[in-house]
Amino acid sequence: MRWPALARRLHKWLALVVGIQVVLWMLGGLYMTAVHIDIIHGDRLVKAPPPRPLPLAGLVEPAHLAHLAPGLKSARLEVQAGQPVYVVDAEAGRALFDARSGRKLSPLGEAEARARAEALFAEDGEIVSATLLTKAPLEIQGRATPIWRVEFEGAWRPTFYISPQTGELVSRRHDLWRAFDVVWMLHIMDYDGRTDVNNPLLRVFTWLAVGSAVTGGWLLFYSFRRRRRRRGAAA
């Protein structure tokens, strides 16, 4: 087989194999640059808490938390749904306590999870559903469970994930983020975890793309060289 014919055949098959993925890379890059990353993060969905002084009178002394949560490691005072609470980390895990009465509030029930989600939601939609998940869905993989999934009505299906142990907003998702996640998966070719940007499949296709470019350059060089030979023969 002649070298130009071999280069042509290699270039044809490499372009066929790599071409679809190259198109996906281009479309994915277009989406990721067209939609601002702040929109993808869903920052606009979360209401920024107004700065307000928190009166310390009448609150449970932090030292007393050691009796409420044996093996206390840390405690943080904050406001949730308009009331002061302690978020503690102890030997038994993280928990939530009423900062005024010392009553343990966790794990949160559906009504409490809805109240916390509503207090954080910056838009006008009502809650469509609230579900306690025992297995984290793919869009929040790696998060601890159980976790409350609170979905709101409105554009792009905004969804909050609330920790039943601490009442904190663990994550927020919406359809533009979900589309970004799919695009990112196709872009990095990690179809399982969607996080590995140096996976074997991506490396293989990268080198196949390089091979396609090299064989294309080879054919281009040969075509110019053959054209010069024809001109010399005609002269």
Side-chain angles (χ1 to χ4, degrees), residues 29-233:
L30 179 62
Y31 181 86
M32 288 187 285
T33 54
V35 183
H36 198 282
I37 193 64
D38 288 341
I39 296 176
I40 298 299
H41 286 164
D43 296 335
R44 62 179 179 82
L45 299 175
V46 183
K47 188 183 301 181
R52 63 177 65 177
L54 180 59
L56 299 181
L59 300 185
V60 172
E61 291 290 335
H64 185 62
L65 291 174
H67 301 287
L68 302 176
L72 180 68
K73 300 176 183 178
S74 65
R76 184 178 70 253
L77 178 65
E78 61 182 49
V79 176
Q80 292 187 13
Q83 65 174 346
V85 295
Y86 282 115
V87 179
V88 306
D89 187 8
E91 288 183 355
R94 305 186 74 194
L96 191 68
F97 289 87
D98 189 315
R100 292 195 177 100
S101 66
R103 181 172 61 91
K104 187 176 181 180
L105 302 175
S106 56
L108 300 181
E110 180 177 345
E112 291 82 8
R114 284 173 173 263
R116 277 157 175 75
E118 285 178 338
L120 292 169
F121 193 52
E123 299 191 348
D124 297 327
E126 299 293 329
I127 291 178
V128 174
S129 64
T131 308
L132 183 63
L133 305 179
T134 56
K135 181 180 179 180
L138 184 60
E139 65 183 23
I140 58 163
Q141 59 178 331
R143 304 292 189 178
T145 55
I147 192 169
W148 281 104
R149 183 182 192 273
V150 183
E151 183 177 328
F152 293 86
E153 64 183 8
W156 315 119
R157 286 193 307 139
T159 305
F160 282 1
Y161 288 92
I162 305 293
S163 167
Q165 304 304 327
T166 65
E168 297 169 303
L169 176 63
V170 175
S171 189
R172 63 264 193 180
R173 295 290 182 258
H174 53 92
D175 284 344
L176 288 178
W177 186 97
R178 296 177 181 107
F180 184 95
D181 191 43
V182 173
V183 167
W184 177 251
M185 174 191 71
L186 297 174
H187 199 74
I188 67 172
M189 303 185 74
D190 181 7
Y191 303 108
D192 185 17
R194 304 184 182 184
T195 58
D196 188 359
V197 296
N198 194 31
N199 61 80
L201 185 59
L202 180 61
R203 293 199 297 269
V204 167
F205 268 77
T206 300
W207 283 110
L208 288 178
V210 172
S212 178
V214 169
T215 53
W218 187 2
L219 288 174
L220 183 64
F221 171 78
Y222 174 77
S223 65
F224 279 119
R225 184 178 180 184
R226 184 173 58 177
R227 186 175 300 177
R228 286 197 299 269
R229 285 179 178 177
R230 287 179 179 177
R231 287 177 180 175

